Amino acid sequence: MALFTAAVAGETARRAARQGSPVSAVEATRLLVWRNMLAYRRHWPIFVTGFLEPVFYLFSIGVGVGALVTGFEVGGRTVPYAEFVAPGMLAASAMNGALYDSTFNFFHKLRFGKLFDQMLATPLTTMDVARGELSWSLIRGGIYAAAFLLVMVAMDLVSSWWAVLAVPAALLIGLAFGGICMALTTFMRSWQDFEYVTLATVPMFLFSATFFPVSAFPEWLRWVVECTPLYRGVVLIRELCTGTVGWGSAASVVYLVVLGLVGLVVVRRRLDRLLLA
Amino acid sequence: MTTTPRPGTGPSTSPTSPASTAPGSVVDGALRLAPYWATVLRRTWKGGVISALVTPLLYVVAMGVLLGGFIEVAPGELEGATSYLAFVAPGLLAAHVMTLVIGETTYPVMSGVKWHKTFFAMHATPLGIGSIVLANVGFILLRTLVVSAFFVAVLAPFGVFTTWWGAVLAWATQALVIGAFTTPVFAFAAGLQDETAFALVFRLGMIPMFLFSGAFFPVGNLDAPLEVVARLTPLWHGVDLTRMFALGTFELGPALVHVAYLVALTALGWWWAVRRLRARMVV
Amino acid sequence: MLIHARGLRKTFGDFEAVRGIDVDVPRGQAFGFLGPNGAGKSSTMRMVAAVSPPTGGTLRILGMDPAEQSSAIKARIGVCPQEDTLDLELSVRDNLYVYGRYFGLPRKEVRARVDELLAFVQLGEKADAMVDDLSGGMKRRLTIARSLINRPEILLLDEPTTGLDPQARHVVWDRLFRLKAQGVTLVLTTHYMDEAEQLCDRLVVMDKGHIVAEGSPLELIRAHATREVAELRFGAGGAQAEHEAVAEQVAGLADRVEVLPDRLLLYSDDGERTLAQVHAAGLRPTTTLVRRATLEDVFLRLTGRTLVD
Ligand SMILES: Nc1ncnc2c1ncn2[C@@H]1O[C@H](COP(=O)(O)OP(=O)(O)OP(=O)(O)O)[C@@H](O)[C@H]1O
Ligand SMILES: [Mg+2]
């Protein structure tokens, strides 16, 4: 409820700030996405190679190590190890992509690039900035997710039409991590603080049912893991790719959306404090 | 040593103050940089030290212990290892040393020539290019050796080393791995104009090597042409040598090849690094 | 009044950067803020630019309240901040173009203005260079060009020419004169007294968050300085104590004596006569100079610490 009131108050303030602005919210988002595209134009190899990492992991762990593993049970059916790992890699790469944009890149733009100071000297608002940066990150993540899904199809690792929803699911993961991490980044003081990001994400990457099922854990740890956002993303995408969708999938969706929106609200407030001081 | 007073070199030059001198050798010059690198270490050791220690440990637990718990294979399939944990642990040691070293020689070196320009400041003193490279490489060597010593100590209780001296030699092997990555990557970074190329080094060099150079699964499992490529990477030589010592499967011939390869790469990288840094700074 | 402030205050935590100032800038005026480092000039400029909410007092920009209509205000002003905030990932041309689009201007229009502005600040040749590769002065000129992309009614310039070579400064001044002639209202801060004297119709001197003087350059000189100044130097390394001693001796010869680390300033209406009296008193300065008083002297008078009357 408090959150709702805060959101409403924020909305009123935002409307007020936007009053008389020559740029609509949609147009502002489009402009920011377009600026990022311009900036990337010179660095297309970086853009293109961005989707390789999960593919490498899939081949190394899924196929290479997979030759040593018999496979795991998903929804009452034993699937080959590569088929088990692939959705995990898709989810993890959605997380990593969002992370990179919302931590290092965002911090750089915020503290050193003075990019946001520049934007706020124009009719753009802090919400435009937060929304625009996140949108760009999601578009990029969406392209990578789609490419990865094609690799999965080519390798015959997909067994249901539900899998087409894996791309939007990856976007949800991006939204959740992007929102939360951008919010956390606004509190960071130096590059040293990113140590904490590594310390939180490496365990998530390794233990969120990405490489092996949570049955490997004792009961209590299992519960902890099942509450992490990456775990929710991994099982959601695995359910979609294997066609074992259920109420749990819906819960995961709600969970990820809420995380992302909360993050976004916090980001806007923090940007107001940091940049409009 | 006697000092001749030189008139007119500034207000602080009194007849008794010693004159500044050029270093006698590259090593002498590098040692003069020790206070600088000590300061850097004091200021930065906290940042990164936890993840440098914790990340590989997490990998060992996740891949070696937990995923390994689902893997049962005959020793022949894992290059003589009795468990997947024993197989993957030495591989992860060498692979993580590689990532640490590449981390230390990319952006920080770029900073030295582009952002903070610390190398230029050093070069404005009597120190030569060789001393500057040596001091930085020495710093990375010492620091990474300390981190890998911790790593070896943490791995030991998992029972992944068959003998104590095997563990020591596996650790010593990391010095070769460090050298083979430090000098070439330093050289690459020192001459680079645009730091975005580092992303490509990570994505097209470091990550594939990390994943396919025999750390996670035997390179023999790769298709024939890929296996050849994997065996040509410096990381594979490092991984295989480390694993020989850890598992006690030492063979003199291949070991000598590994050592020679890694040392040669270090020397080549050294030559290239000094050359590139000079070209960058002396213009 | 395009800018209207009453009792404007800004605090950062416990620190009061701006302590209640009144400012009125009518349309078409060139208005200057002068003051030593930390006086609160940039803090004031940022409030006027609607990126920093005032802590107290009233502020109206173009008749609007920045707390409520920041976007509408920003659409009609141009800002050149003290530190360049250029987009280092984009080329010179794209910097202007993208920025212009942030104002909701149509593509064709922005494209035309970009070329015009690049010529205006003489960066046409560098149009496709990356911003990172520009010299400091070129970056500054680009920032100034960028602040003009929306044809602003008010142009806020925080130390526009700091870091420029003399040639480039004159180019910028010339451009600012032209804008002034076109009716653009200029608000600028500067540490260069010649800049303030040349460009500003009216200025305020700020110190420690307060306005300590206000008027046209000429009025300020009349009110706070004499017509002429005699400058005396006594060799290299002259200690402060030595200077103080000399100051005692010449105190009676001028209206006011100012002791600086490297020289003495004697204020009087006839500098040559004062100088003659100095020599007559048996003092032998190594170099001397008689000049007209400038805003520099006003500035020293109002903000300097070592005043010997
Ligand atoms: N964001 C901030 N947080 C805390 N203190 C600040 C902040 N911005 C400015 N200050 C303080 O407010 C005072 C006035 O700063 P301001 O930048 O307005 O000075 P200025 O007159 O522009 O000085 P300069 O000539 O050096 O640019 C300074 O003491 C400064 O330290
Ligand atoms: Mg200032």
Side-chain angles (χ1 to χ4, degrees), chain C residues 3-11 16 18-23 44 47-48 52-61 64-68:
Chain C
I3 300 172
H4 170 83
R6 281 294 170 272
L8 187 60
R9 293 194 309 111
K10 180 74 196 182
T11 53
E16 275 196 89
V18 181
R19 307 174 182 221
I21 60 171
D22 299 343
V23 176
T44 308
M47 286 192 275
V48 175
S52 170
T55 317
T58 50
L59 179 62
R60 291 287 174 278
I61 318 293
M64 292 180 274
D65 182 350
E68 283 175 1

Side-chain angles (χ1 to χ4, degrees), chain A residues 13 15-23 27 30-32 34-36 38-39 41-42 109 112-115 117-125 274-277, chain C residues 10 12 46 49-53 67-72 74-75 77 79 83-91 94-95 97-99 101-104 107 130 146:
Chain A
R15 287 259 162 72
R18 184 172 282 293
Q19 205 181 354
S21 168
V23 191
E27 175 68 5
R30 205 188 62 77
L31 278 172
L32 271 135
W34 169 73
R35 188 216 80 94
N36 277 305
L38 271 187
R41 200 173 43 184
R42 291 185 318 134
K109 286 175 181 170
F112 301 100
K114 308 253 175 208
L115 191 68
D117 292 288
Q118 177 215 108
M119 291 173 180
L120 293 175
T122 74
L124 300 185
T125 63
L274 289 176
L275 299 174
L276 302 178
Chain C
K10 180 74 196 182
F12 296 104
R46 283 169 44 79
V51 291
S52 170
E68 283 175 1
Q69 290 177 287
S70 60
S71 284
K74 289 172 190 171
I77 63 178
V79 181
E83 277 175 58
D84 291 326
T85 57
L86 294 165
D87 194 329
L88 300 178
E89 292 175 287
L90 300 181
S91 70
D94 285 344
N95 253 277
Y97 184 64
V98 170
Y99 194 79
R101 298 279 289 136
Y102 291 161
F103 287 87
R107 290 186 187 80
M130 292 306 289
R146 199 186 62 183

Side-chain angles (χ1 to χ4, degrees), chain C residues 178-217:
Chain C
R178 288 199 218 171
L179 290 168
K180 207 173 127 182
Q182 289 166 21
V184 177
T185 308
L186 302 179
V187 179
L188 58 104
T189 76
T190 182
H191 289 296
Y192 298 116
M193 299 307 138
D194 48 347
E195 182 163 291
E197 265 176 79
Q198 292 220 23
L199 287 177
C200 297
D201 303 320
R202 208 156 59 84
L203 27 98
V204 293
V205 180
M206 281 188 82
D207 193 21
K208 303 194 181 79
H210 294 287
I211 290 181
V212 291
E214 177 167 6
S216 72

Side-chain angles (χ1 to χ4, degrees), chain C residues 12 15 17 35-43 82 159 191:
Chain C
F12 296 104
F15 181 78
N37 293 139
K41 304 181 297 293
S42 298
S43 305
Q82 181 166 359
E159 299 189 21
H191 289 296

Side-chain angles (χ1 to χ4, degrees), chain B residues 13-152:
Chain B
T13 310
S14 72
T16 49
S17 70
S20 70
T21 56
S25 66
V26 170
V27 177
D28 180 22
L31 286 176
R32 290 190 189 181
L33 285 165
Y36 167 76
W37 286 109
T39 318
V40 169
L41 186 64
R42 229 183 355 258
R43 272 212 335 265
T44 61
W45 72 272
K46 279 199 205 107
V49 76
I50 306 176
S51 51
L53 291 174
V54 170
T55 307
L57 185 63
L58 289 172
Y59 265 85
V60 170
V61 172
M63 310 309 286
V65 180
L66 294 170
L67 179 61
F70 295 100
I71 297 175
E72 271 176 49
V73 281
E77 276 184 71
L78 287 176
E79 299 179 354
T82 49
S83 69
Y84 184 67
L85 174 62
F87 173 83
V88 84
L92 284 172
L93 171 60
H96 269 284
V97 163
M98 169 188 76
T99 58
L100 286 177
V101 163
I102 293 181
E104 293 277 346
T105 39
T106 44
Y107 292 102
V109 170
M110 188 72 160
S111 173
V113 290
K114 184 170 169 182
W115 299 311
H116 294 133
K117 299 206 189 291
T118 27
F119 292 154
F120 284 91
M122 294 171 182
H123 196 235
T125 73
L127 300 176
I129 300 283
S131 299
I132 295 173
V133 178
L134 181 60
N136 198 342
V137 169
F139 168 75
I140 295 170
L141 178 71
L142 289 180
R143 186 181 150 122
T144 317
L145 272 179
V146 171
V147 173
S148 35
F150 275 108
F151 191 25
V152 168

Side-chain angles (χ1 to χ4, degrees), chain C residues 102-119:
Chain C
Y102 291 161
F103 287 87
L105 297 166
R107 290 186 187 80
K108 231 182 107 196
E109 177 65 23
V110 181
R111 231 171 264 137
R113 288 190 194 182
V114 167
D115 290 327
E116 201 179 289
L117 285 171
L118 283 174

